[in-house]
Amino acid sequence: MFSGEVMPVKQLNYWRSHYPNALFSNLFGPTETTDICTFYTVNRTFSDNETLPIGKPCDNCDVFVLNADGKPVTGDEAGELYVRGSFLSAGYFGNAEKTAAAFVQNPCNPHYPEPVYKTGDLVRYNQYGELEYISRIDFQIKHMGYRIELGEIENAAYSVEAVTSAAVIYDSAEDKIVLVYTGKIKETEMYTQMTGKVPSYMQPNVIIKIRNMPYNQNGKTDRVYLKEHYRELIKKFKENYNGTTD
């Protein structure tokens, strides 16, 4: 069972090839749901560039997806994930303002009080009726006139065979998409690989190879650090490795 960060399918396929009789489950849920709220038990084959579903609600739990207009999504339309049920936390200790912003009245229920949690996660339903995680809503940007989910670019980067980790950030001041990665592949080749995996308007403007990906205290990729220091990472890498990426 895996949870926390998104499980890249490439790594999952590696594990499945070595343990073909093991049962693998993808678990999903923010801390506010007291662990997880959805799960998907892997029951079919995925290619490295596909997205692993986060599945369907756990018992005693319900989730629903609303678009930007506060209406239930249709088809494969993306929207924000909302959660409700007895497992929800009551809010944030000593922070009434943050609680009021995240634990809101169910927009679809005008009849009686029903607090639900706005996860801030962008998801969609696939052809099997399973939820697929796209990215955090604040990872969604407007670039070259297009609305882009940075998580989709990350998924494409992870699918490159030699890449071991990847993170995509957006430099709003310079309107640049920045891809930071680790792995045995040169930056020039990474540009070529990404050109074949994402449309031109989603192509990273800057690609940086680093030795180790930074992680925060929760063990997740530290995108805040990357956003604040990516220019320093470029300089440090070139100084340490003389500009080579072998």
Side-chain angles (χ1 to χ4, degrees), residues 195-233:
T195 300
K197 291 181 179 293
V198 296
S200 59
Y201 61 87
M202 293 174 64
Q203 179 73 17
N205 306 110
V206 179
I207 294 182
I208 310 167
K209 177 181 177 179
I210 59 177
R211 180 62 62 90
N212 297 299
M213 188 66 68
Y215 296 97
N216 59 28
Q217 61 184 2
N218 296 320
K220 297 186 177 183
T221 302
D222 196 337
R223 292 177 176 81
V224 173
Y225 177 87
L226 290 175
K227 190 169 185 178
E228 293 176 349
H229 299 281
Y230 84 86
R231 292 184 183 84
E232 297 171 21
L233 291 174

Side-chain angles (χ1 to χ4, degrees), residues 9 12-13 16 40 42 44-48 50-53:
V9 175
L12 171 65
N13 286 339
R16 293 186 77 189
Y40 168 69
V42 181
R44 60 183 184 271
T45 301
F46 293 85
S47 61
D48 287 353
E50 286 188 278
T51 299
L52 193 66

Side-chain angles (χ1 to χ4, degrees), residues 4-236:
E5 287 279 22
V6 175
M7 167 59 79
V9 175
K10 181 176 64 179
Q11 276 80 348
L12 171 65
N13 286 339
Y14 174 87
W15 280 96
R16 293 186 77 189
S17 68
H18 285 75
Y19 294 94
N21 297 319
L23 187 69
F24 294 88
S25 289
N26 190 26
L27 312 179
F28 173 84
T31 303
E32 291 82 353
T33 63
T34 325
D35 199 3
I36 66 170
C37 59
T38 70
F39 73 101
Y40 168 69
T41 299
V42 181
N43 61 0
R44 60 183 184 271
T45 301
F46 293 85
S47 61
D48 287 353
N49 61 351
E50 286 188 278
T51 299
L52 193 66
I54 59 173
K56 298 184 178 182
C58 302
D59 292 343
N60 197 35
C61 165
D62 188 30
V63 300
F64 56 100
V65 185
L66 303 182
N67 60 24
D69 297 323
K71 304 296 182 183
V73 297
T74 58
D76 62 353
E77 179 185 12
E80 182 174 5
L81 182 69
Y82 286 70
V83 187
R84 59 186 174 184
S86 60
F87 56 89
L88 280 180
S89 69
Y92 303 105
F93 182 77
N95 196 333
E97 183 178 354
K98 186 177 179 181
T99 297
F103 294 85
V104 301
Q105 170 64 23
N106 184 351
C108 301
N109 177 12
H111 306 294
Y112 56 85
E114 184 189 14
V116 297
Y117 174 62
K118 284 169 55 74
T119 65
D121 292 311
L122 194 66
V123 299
R124 67 163 64 94
Y125 288 100
N126 64 17
Q127 65 192 74
Y128 302 101
E130 301 157 344
L131 284 167
E132 290 184 347
Y133 177 84
I134 301 174
S135 67
R136 293 288 298 169
I137 287 180
D138 51 11
F139 288 176
Q140 189 179 68
I141 65 168
K142 191 74 174 292
H143 179 68
M144 295 178 63
Y146 294 89
R147 194 166 298 280
I148 297 170
E149 284 78 36
L150 298 181
E152 293 187 351
I153 305 176
E154 281 190 13
N155 287 340
Y158 262 115
S159 70
V160 176
E161 184 176 355
V163 170
T164 54
S165 64
V168 177
I169 57 175
Y170 177 60
D171 184 342
S172 56
E174 297 191 13
D175 189 27
K176 289 184 177 180
I177 297 172
V178 181
L179 167 61
V180 182
Y181 75 97
T182 64
K184 294 183 177 181
I185 179 173
K186 295 181 178 180
E187 290 161 309
T188 52
E189 176 60 22
M190 195 64 181
Y191 272 107
T192 302
Q193 290 282 339
M194 292 300 294
T195 300
K197 291 181 179 293
V198 296
S200 59
Y201 61 87
M202 293 174 64
Q203 179 73 17
N205 306 110
V206 179
I207 294 182
I208 310 167
K209 177 181 177 179
I210 59 177
R211 180 62 62 90
N212 297 299
M213 188 66 68
Y215 296 97
N216 59 28
Q217 61 184 2
N218 296 320
K220 297 186 177 183
T221 302
D222 196 337
R223 292 177 176 81
V224 173
Y225 177 87
L226 290 175
K227 190 169 185 178
E228 293 176 349
H229 299 281
Y230 84 86
R231 292 184 183 84
E232 297 171 21
L233 291 174
I234 296 175
K235 182 179 179 181
K236 182 179 180 180

